[in-house]
Amino acid sequence: MPRTKKKNSRGGQHGNVQPFSDEDASIETLSRCSSFSDVTSVVDEGGEASEDAAQEDFQFKLKGFIDSTVDKSAKTRQGALDGLKTAMATRILHEFISDRRMTITDSIERCLKKGKGEEQRAAASLACLLCIQLGSGIESEEVLKTLKPIFKTILADGSANIQARQAVATGLGLCTLVAEDDILDVHATMECFENLFMRSCARQDGTCPSISPQMSQLHINALLSWALLLTICSGSQIKEILQKFLPKLPRLLESDDVNMRIAAGETISLLFELARDMDPEFDFDQLDELCDKLNALATDCNKHRAKTDKKKQRSVFRDVLKAVEEGDFQSETIRFGTERMTIDSWVRKRMYDAFREFVGSGMNYHLQANEFIRDVFELGPPVLVDSATMKAMKISRFERVCCTAVVTSVLFSINFNCLFLLDCKSLFIRPHPPTPTSLSLSSHWFFKKSFLLYETLTFC
């Protein structure tokens, strides 16, 4: 990132302590890859093997994945890439990866050059996770220096696999955010994205270009990566971008793709936020016309659009309209472990969404333990607790399942087998076998019955 760097921002853990982790992120997500599930279940359920032995076994499997990325079989390479992705998304592996950074980078480069479709897509995603694990520093800069020319070649190649181009459009944006230290190179990368998403702009006569859904998704990914890099641009660059693109971006609101309209609206809100941060009195000449467009999208009743699309669009554009007119942002609180973080700006939202796209359900774990991500969101050093305390505070998977089963059983029993009648003088329960009518009414009476049951038990 082109900002003041701390000493090699890492995501590593320290000594024999580890962050208070979310079990769903660190264990259940990891179990998607069958080769990991045995290791984690042994540690989590207190098996015979020690944690050190389990860790050694885990690293042995990772080494096997790294070796398999150069296998002759495309299916084997794909599986190895997916295995490494799952591990990096759900664990902090800085030391392990740092020792093998060049080998992993070479494997990604080979898969991008010689692979097809899904393999290229997986390799691009793995490149992002590699940079997230390494953090902002020389190591990630060298990764980007190696892969950036390949990324740009694939991105500009109209004959390349469209899914690979989509993944590269997203991956290049995040890798640049993490690893690029030259603001001029950031600007050059943004120009690559501009050449793509501007093709979705409506023409001067108001007609929209005919674009396939997959090509539209490529343009959306390019726009979102462009918006992500806006968050690290200098003030002078922001001023130039405002003059050049703020009058043009509203034309993307005419797109037939609801996701493009939403991405354009959020990008416009981000630009207004950055502009007002520099100048609280910032004024846009075409503000009234823009607000009319945003209001129309926030109250869209077009019968030719799907209900789900209209609902999602209206919800987003109500927030976008408030951001443009009043500078407001609907804040959101993210809880992870014993901490919480507030998403209180469009800048933070764009960054959070970008990281979460790659680490998925492991985001909470990275917010706790990854020093680079904590630095980006100004969370300070990781809050650490020892292993014994962490294990004592966890609820085992078996206990969670049993508790859920008991509660579900009781509630359904109440809902389908009893009818509660409340009288001024008496309260009683009358058996009521389920019928088609009672089943249809069960949802309506569910909360009332549960409340009456609580009152009955309290009264007794």
Side-chain angles (χ1 to χ4, degrees):
M1 297 173 70
R3 54 177 67 177
T4 303
K5 294 180 183 176
K6 297 182 178 180
K7 280 195 224 175
N8 196 15
S9 297
R10 300 185 178 183
Q13 298 177 6
H14 306 274
N16 295 324
V17 293
Q18 53 185 315
F20 182 86
S21 62
D22 179 15
E23 191 175 25
D24 290 335
S26 61
I27 295 176
E28 291 181 358
T29 304
L30 202 59
S31 67
R32 293 177 188 171
C33 185
S34 60
S35 57
F36 294 143
S37 60
D38 295 338
V39 180
T40 54
S41 61
V42 166
V43 176
D44 188 50
E45 302 297 337
E48 297 179 359
S50 65
E51 289 191 13
D52 290 340
Q55 182 67 12
E56 289 179 5
D57 189 27
F58 175 74
Q59 291 187 1
F60 177 78
K61 293 179 185 296
L62 287 182
K63 292 174 185 177
F65 284 139
I66 294 173
D67 293 340
S68 296
T69 57
V70 296
D71 194 88
K72 291 182 179 180
S73 168
K75 186 176 181 180
T76 301
R77 294 195 302 270
Q78 175 75 41
L81 293 171
D82 289 338
L84 289 171
K85 281 171 52 184
T86 303
M88 291 189 194
T90 53
R91 289 197 178 191
I92 303 301
L93 304 168
H94 183 276
E95 292 183 6
F96 178 87
I97 290 172
S98 183
D99 295 338
R100 299 162 180 82
R101 170 180 53 82
M102 294 182 66
T103 303
I104 298 173
T105 304
D106 289 343
S107 296
I108 294 172
E109 181 181 11
R110 188 180 297 106
C111 292
L112 285 171
K113 286 182 175 179
K114 299 182 179 180
K116 305 292 182 183
E118 285 298 323
E119 184 180 341
Q120 290 177 303
R121 186 173 186 172
S125 297
L126 182 59
C128 290
L129 289 165
L130 178 60
C131 287
I132 290 173
Q133 288 279 343
L134 294 173
S136 181
I138 296 176
E139 293 177 324
S140 59
E141 288 173 14
E142 291 179 352
V143 172
L144 180 61
K145 184 178 179 180
T146 300
L147 300 179
K148 183 167 65 173
I150 306 170
F151 280 157
K152 289 190 174 182
T153 299
I154 295 174
L155 199 59
D157 185 2
S159 63
N161 181 277
I162 188 65
Q163 291 184 339
R165 296 179 72 195
Q166 291 170 359
V168 165
T170 303
L172 178 58
L174 188 62
C175 287
T176 302
L177 175 82
V178 176
E180 189 62 81
D181 65 339
D182 188 340
I183 196 64
L184 296 178
D185 288 338
V186 172
H187 188 65
T189 300
M190 292 178 71
E191 288 180 346
C192 294
F193 295 137
E194 292 163 9
N195 293 333
L196 289 173
F197 71 76
M198 288 303 292
R199 298 175 188 177
S200 285
C201 286
R203 303 184 183 93
Q204 295 294 336
D205 59 1
T207 59
C208 296
S210 179
I211 298 174
S212 68
Q214 288 188 324
M215 187 60 68
S216 180
Q217 187 60 53
L218 171 62
H219 295 172
I220 292 168
N221 292 0
L223 175 61
L224 292 176
S225 289
W226 184 80
L228 179 65
L229 297 183
L230 279 176
T231 63
I232 56 173
C233 284
S234 63
S236 59
Q237 282 183 313
I238 293 294
K239 289 180 180 178
E240 291 178 7
I241 290 169
L242 285 169
Q243 293 176 355
K244 182 177 179 181
F245 287 98
L246 195 53
K248 297 178 181 179
L249 286 177
R251 288 157 53 190
L252 291 172
L253 300 175
E254 306 293 333
S255 172
D256 295 329
D257 189 329
V258 63
N259 293 318
M260 173 57 84
R261 295 195 297 272
I262 289 173
E266 292 181 343
T267 301
I268 290 170
S269 298
L270 175 61
L271 272 173
F272 269 88
E273 181 177 272
L274 293 170
R276 286 167 177 158
D277 284 344
M278 293 188 300
D279 179 12
E281 302 299 324
F282 171 76
D283 186 34
F284 179 47
D285 294 338
Q286 304 171 26
L287 182 61
D288 292 338
E289 181 182 348
L290 174 60
C291 288
D292 288 341
K293 279 188 177 181
L294 297 177
N295 185 60
L297 291 168
T299 57
D300 188 8
C301 296
N302 192 327
K303 294 182 180 180
H304 299 290
R305 288 175 180 164
K307 289 184 179 180
T308 54
D309 288 351
K310 286 189 289 186
K311 183 178 180 180
K312 180 168 63 172
Q313 174 183 290
R314 287 196 292 259
S315 175
V316 171
F317 277 95
R318 283 194 292 267
D319 293 337
V320 171
L321 183 60
K322 287 182 180 179
V324 172
E325 285 185 330
E326 306 167 15
D328 288 344
F329 179 83
Q330 188 69 34
S331 62
E332 177 185 0
T333 300
I334 308 296
R335 291 179 175 84
F336 49 98
T338 58
E339 303 174 84
R340 63 178 62 187
M341 175 183 72
T342 302
I343 306 295
D344 55 3
S345 67
W346 290 100
V347 169
R348 276 202 161 198
K349 182 180 185 303
R350 181 78 283 275
M351 285 188 169
Y352 179 81
D353 289 346
F355 285 117
R356 187 178 59 179
E357 182 171 352
F358 288 97
V359 300
S361 60
M363 185 63 186
N364 283 359
Y365 184 76
H366 279 269
L367 284 171
Q368 294 172 72
N370 189 309
E371 292 182 8
F372 167 69
I373 289 182
R374 292 183 67 87
D375 185 49
V376 169
F377 293 106
E378 301 176 343
L379 296 173
V383 177
L384 303 174
V385 296
D386 58 75
S387 300
T389 303
M390 183 184 70
K391 191 173 292 185
M393 296 176 69
K394 281 185 180 179
I395 299 176
S396 73
R397 188 180 306 171
F398 177 75
E399 289 173 327
R400 290 203 314 270
V401 171
C402 289
C403 182
T404 303
V406 169
V407 172
T408 304
S409 177
V410 170
L411 292 178
F412 272 91
S413 177
I414 294 169
N415 194 22
F416 290 104
N417 298 319
C418 293
L419 176 64
F420 287 80
L421 299 175
L422 180 63
D423 186 76
C424 295
K425 296 181 180 180
S426 62
L427 179 66
F428 62 92
I429 302 175
R430 176 167 61 87
H432 184 73
T435 65
T437 304
S438 65
L439 291 177
S440 64
L441 294 174
S442 60
S443 297
H444 177 75
W445 289 99
F446 176 78
F447 290 104
K448 181 179 286 187
K449 291 174 185 176
S450 300
F451 176 76
L452 291 174
L453 176 61
Y454 171 79
E455 290 292 324
T456 303
L457 295 175
T458 305
F459 178 79
C460 295

